Amino acid sequence: MQKMKSILMLVLWLTSGAIVAQVGEQRVDAKETGSLDAEREKHAVQVLAKLTEKLIVSAADAMPADKYGFAPTDGEFKGVRTFGQMVKHLSATNYILAASALGEEPPADAGDELGPEAARTKSEILNYVKGSFGYLDKAIEAIGQKNAPVKSSPISPLKSAEATRLALVVESLVHAFDHYGQMVEYLRMNGVVPPASRP
């Protein structure tokens, strides 16, 4: 829970228009300087993305292969995605939003946030999620580049004029953490302690 609070604080810090950074003894207000250092922004998002990838991939790897088809069915859970479908959805969203951040078309197999039908086994889905974070890394690397276009995404609440590389990447990370919480629930329902919660 503490990691989640730290991550949310960092996301808020990254997206705030009134960011104040401590530089030696001098305070620098982003509103006064007019812009932030793209390299610092990029580095902060890279740290967040690596943490997110580590938590998601380790949780996906912790679920036994025979439980990738698991979905709770009682009460409010009726009709939810299976564990494997959820990991593919999270990954497809990474691909779609990263493609928008890069001004590219998303991979055809991302589908309508469903991911490739062909990825069915645990190892195939793990490869897909790892690939999605690799593609997201490419979008992060492009933060600060002025010559590459950014496209709006139909799955993003950001309007065309609001879509920036940083915003689309942060959206992808926030979305991933939403599903990470669900992954943790599914793991615990199957008697698996999430790797991040292990001593």
Side-chain angles (χ1 to χ4, degrees), residues 14-52:
L14 283 170
T15 57
S16 170
I19 298 171
V20 177
Q22 189 75 26
V23 181
E25 293 297 314
Q26 180 183 9
R27 289 171 53 92
V28 179
D29 187 334
K31 284 185 177 177
E32 291 174 11
T33 62
S35 67
L36 295 174
D37 178 357
E39 288 304 312
R40 290 184 67 216
E41 292 178 42
K42 185 187 310 184
H43 177 72
V45 175
Q46 285 169 330
V47 170
L48 259 179
K50 285 299 168 202
L51 172 63
T52 306

Side-chain angles (χ1 to χ4, degrees), residues 37-150:
D37 178 357
E39 288 304 312
R40 290 184 67 216
E41 292 178 42
K42 185 187 310 184
H43 177 72
V45 175
Q46 285 169 330
V47 170
L48 259 179
K50 285 299 168 202
L51 172 63
T52 306
E53 179 180 10
K54 179 181 176 185
L55 291 172
I56 298 288
V57 171
S58 67
D61 193 36
M63 183 64 94
D66 65 334
K67 297 293 185 180
Y68 262 61
F70 170 79
T73 56
D74 293 337
E76 298 298 316
F77 288 106
K78 189 172 182 169
V80 297
R81 293 180 177 103
T82 67
F83 186 84
Q85 289 170 334
M86 185 175 12
V87 175
K88 285 196 322 183
H89 162 72
L90 178 160
S91 306
T93 301
N94 281 353
Y95 275 114
I96 293 167
L97 292 173
S100 290
L102 290 165
E104 300 174 357
E105 291 299 318
D109 66 1
D112 187 20
E113 302 175 65
L114 299 176
E117 179 61 34
R120 295 181 181 185
T121 67
K122 176 179 176 175
S123 64
E124 291 167 343
I125 294 171
L126 277 171
N127 285 336
Y128 188 62
V129 73
K130 290 175 187 175
S132 79
F133 278 102
Y135 194 51
L136 196 58
D137 288 343
K138 185 178 170 188
I140 294 168
E141 197 56 44
I143 291 173
Q145 291 179 5
K146 305 272 189 243
N147 58 347
V150 175

Side-chain angles (χ1 to χ4, degrees), residues 97 153-160 162 168 171:
L97 292 173
S153 173
I155 68 168
S156 174
L158 297 169
K159 295 178 178 88
S160 184
E162 299 168 332
L168 290 163
E171 181 183 348

